[in-house]
Amino acid sequence: MAIQKRECDLVLATFGRGFYILDDYSPLRDLNNENLDKEAHLFPIKDALLFNPSSNKDNQGDTYYTAPNPEFGVTFTYFLKEAPKSSKALRTEEEKKLFKDGKPIPQPTWRELELEGMEESSHLIFTIRDTDGNIIRRITQNPSKGINRVNWDLRYNNPSATSVSGSFNPIAGSSGRRGGGSGLLVMPGEYTVDLALWHQGELKQLAGSTKFLTKKPELVTLPAANYRENIQFAREVSRLSVAMTGTTRLTNEMISKVEHIKQAIYATPEADQSLMDKARVLGRELEEINFLLNGVQPKASREETPPAQVPLNIRLSSVSYGFVGNLSAITATEKESLAILKEEFPPVLEKLTKLVETDIPSLEEELTKLNAPWTPGRMPVWNK
């Protein structure tokens, strides 16, 4: 590494193949041999401003030159001396060494190769906490040797439901702007971040807590008199959102299950029409729950639907859209909408709970006694 002083109090630093311009705020000013000898190091973090970024452009047309702004939020700059290697990488390295030495190369079994492909990838975990030690966010990142950066969008989590494409991926959907990062902006104040590494079943702490500040510029048109009320409101809406999203997903799963049950009943000669009548009743009850949650689905826009009771999910969406990304006070309409949801949603959840825990399992037991074809979620039974 080399550092050279330049005019205007700028420093040009070379590290490996990279060149970095260091100003008064650059975390790379913290570079020294002591830090580079560590397994990992978190550099000092610049204060972050809390505001609502916009992608809209002024005036007409798109002929003006534009360039991307720095990422909104706070940037964590870190150094990683070595990136951990997967079992496959270690095996191929060993095979290359044996080949170079002219020694026999062991042939892995199909099962060993299969397990290599299923191995969970190593990942870095950045844990952000407030002054009380409460965990605000976790951000994961692929380990990469050298100096790297990761950004956090200064927002709380807004969890709803998980989505997995194929298999679990510790990196997917967990960056500072995705996977739950659509919550409310955090409070101004002091926060800390620490760095850990998960590798082959072990979690290792790499760098201790590093402090940083978030500040709110005095540019808000209608600032909330008590922003903590916004945070409390957001947490209450978030808890309700988790329950309602889960209810919607589970309702869809149960609708599919009952349709499979109907098909299994007609594929079982011993089953009479009384079982089919029970399945039809369950299907109608599930459809009623789905209607209360989602209402009539228009082909183009909800403006097409005639006046009717507002579906629960549409009301929840309106509440969330109104205050997320807004630094103004919570409106009376938003508070009233939340009160309506807290009154109308519990009976729907109670009805679904009865169907899932009592009515559908009871019908499945009758199918099992008749040795009916398997249906989703029903445990197979076999006796010698």
Side-chain angles (χ1 to χ4, degrees), residues 4-12 21-23 29:
Q4 179 183 353
K5 186 71 174 177
R6 301 203 314 165
E7 295 180 359
C8 302
D9 198 30
L10 293 179
V11 177
L12 176 65
I21 298 295
L22 310 185
D23 60 21
R29 285 182 172 274

Side-chain angles (χ1 to χ4, degrees), residues 110-371:
W110 281 15
R111 180 57 176 166
E112 289 172 339
L113 294 175
E114 184 180 47
L115 291 175
E116 278 185 2
M118 296 167 59
E119 182 179 294
E120 184 177 337
S121 60
S122 302
H123 50 277
L124 299 172
I125 303 176
F126 296 83
T127 303
I128 303 159
R129 294 180 172 86
D130 61 18
T131 51
D132 296 326
N134 301 312
I135 295 178
I136 302 298
R137 287 287 298 277
R138 282 195 181 96
I139 300 173
T140 55
Q141 182 88 338
N142 282 315
S144 181
K145 179 180 179 179
I147 297 175
N148 302 276
R149 283 175 170 166
V150 64
N151 198 76
W152 172 42
D153 64 358
L154 302 178
R155 293 188 179 275
Y156 291 98
N157 249 14
N158 187 19
S160 53
T162 57
S163 177
V164 176
S165 178
S167 60
F168 165 66
N169 182 349
I171 307 300
S174 64
S175 74
R177 293 182 299 172
R178 300 167 299 174
S182 58
L184 204 65
L185 285 169
V186 298
M187 291 285 296
E190 184 178 275
Y191 295 84
T192 62
V193 60
D194 58 57
L195 173 60
L197 169 68
W198 189 96
H199 175 61
Q200 295 184 343
E202 294 185 5
L203 185 65
K204 184 178 182 181
Q205 197 71 24
L206 296 182
S209 297
T210 300
K211 295 180 181 180
F212 63 96
L213 294 176
T214 61
K215 301 177 179 179
K216 188 161 60 175
E218 301 301 326
L219 300 174
V220 182
T221 306
L222 297 171
N226 182 10
Y227 191 68
R228 290 189 180 277
E229 183 181 357
N230 291 40
I231 301 298
Q232 184 59 39
F233 186 85
R235 288 172 177 168
E236 193 168 3
V237 172
S238 178
R239 289 194 296 269
L240 181 60
S241 176
V242 171
M244 289 183 59
T245 302
T247 299
T248 303
R249 293 277 190 94
L250 185 57
T251 299
N252 291 332
E253 289 181 11
M254 292 302 106
I255 289 174
S256 176
K257 174 180 279 194
V258 169
E259 294 304 302
H260 280 81
I261 287 175
K262 292 177 184 178
Q263 201 69 48
I265 291 173
Y266 263 45
T268 306
E270 297 85 351
D272 56 34
Q273 280 298 317
S274 64
L275 287 181
M276 193 63 180
D277 291 340
K278 291 180 181 178
R280 291 188 176 111
V281 170
L282 293 178
R284 287 194 295 270
E285 291 180 347
L286 286 167
E287 182 52 39
E288 289 175 7
I289 292 174
N290 183 63
F291 175 75
L292 291 172
L293 289 169
N294 300 307
V296 176
Q297 296 298 315
K299 291 185 177 181
S301 169
R302 289 202 169 271
E303 296 176 356
E304 301 173 355
T305 58
Q309 180 177 346
V310 179
L312 297 180
N313 281 332
I314 299 303
R315 190 180 296 279
L316 176 66
S317 177
S318 298
V319 173
S320 301
Y321 181 80
F323 75 86
V324 170
N326 191 345
L327 296 175
S328 299
I330 303 298
T331 66
T333 301
E334 291 165 349
K335 293 177 181 179
E336 182 180 357
S337 294
L338 178 58
I340 294 173
L341 285 171
K342 291 167 70 173
E343 179 182 350
E344 295 183 353
F345 172 65
V348 176
L349 179 58
E350 184 179 351
K351 187 173 183 179
L352 179 63
T353 302
K354 180 178 179 296
L355 290 172
V356 173
E357 295 183 353
T358 304
D359 298 343
I360 294 178
S362 176
L363 184 56
E364 288 177 320
E365 286 181 9
E366 296 187 58
L367 291 179
T368 300
K369 291 177 182 178
L370 295 173
N371 197 31

Side-chain angles (χ1 to χ4, degrees), residues 71-93:
E71 280 197 278
F72 166 74
V74 60
T75 299
F76 306 133
T77 306
Y78 63 97
F79 167 74
L80 191 63
K81 192 169 186 178
E82 294 291 341
K85 298 178 180 178
S86 64
S87 298
K88 180 179 179 180
L90 293 173
R91 175 178 58 79
T92 54
E93 282 186 4

